[in-house]
Structures are given as C-alpha cells and as structure tokens.
Amino acid sequence: MKIIDLFCGIGGAAVGIGMAFPNAEIIGYDIRDYSEQYPYTFIQVDITELDKVPDADLYWASPPCQSYSVSTEKQRRYEGKTYPDLVK
C-alpha cells in the first residue's frame, strides 16, 4: 500500500498512519524542509506546482495543528502568539 501524506510537517500524522498500516510505503510532501524530522520518505515541494498527482492508495492531508499542539503551548502561545483555529 502506498500512502501520500500531504502538508506532512514533521510527521505527527504519519506516525499514526504508520501504526495503522505498518507495511505501507508512506511519502510525505511539504513546502518546507522537514527531511531531518520526517520518519518516512520525504519530498520537499510546493504541491500546487506538481504537474501530476502522485499515484497512491490513500491520500492524507492534515490541517495545521499549532492551535492545538502542546509544544506551541509551551513555546509560543504563552508569549501571546496566536494561531488560526482551522477545525471548528
């Protein structure tokens, strides 16, 4: 099974996907370089500039999670930084 993880970031969703599908090939795409942190194959690209959607059995696209993340709570939100709530 081949899974495409769009807007993958450092791979939080990918870890869960990998646990659910341990034999899957997971490929993460993001405009920023997260190659050092992403736990699977990573491709840095602006997906809006791809000529063709990569073939896959499953596509996953995560919304940004900073508004809900424990790490941003400890690092930035206490300083007054706000993030958009994209999942109402």
Side-chain angles (χ1 to χ4, degrees):
M1 173 181 256
K2 185 174 182 180
I3 300 173
I4 301 294
D5 182 13
L6 300 169
F7 321 111
C8 65
I10 63 170
V15 170
I17 293 167
M19 291 170 68
F21 302 98
N23 297 320
E25 173 189 8
I26 301 172
I27 304 170
Y29 288 79
D30 205 297
I31 195 168
R32 293 186 180 167
D33 184 5
Y34 295 108
S35 59
E36 295 295 317
Q37 298 98 341
Y38 195 75
Y40 301 99
T41 301
F42 176 83
I43 298 173
Q44 182 181 3
V45 67
D46 181 345
I47 61 165
T48 64
E49 295 180 4
L50 291 178
D51 293 332
K52 180 183 172 203
V53 175
D55 291 329
D57 299 297
L58 174 74
Y59 297 88
W60 179 268
S62 298
C65 61
Q66 291 92 340
S67 182
Y68 319 101
S69 172
V70 173
S71 66
T72 56
E73 179 178 50
K74 291 179 180 177
Q75 295 175 2
R76 298 286 180 214
R77 290 194 312 224
Y78 78 91
E79 297 173 346
K81 175 107 174 121
T82 60
Y83 298 93
D85 183 4
L86 301 174
V87 181
K88 302 229 182 233

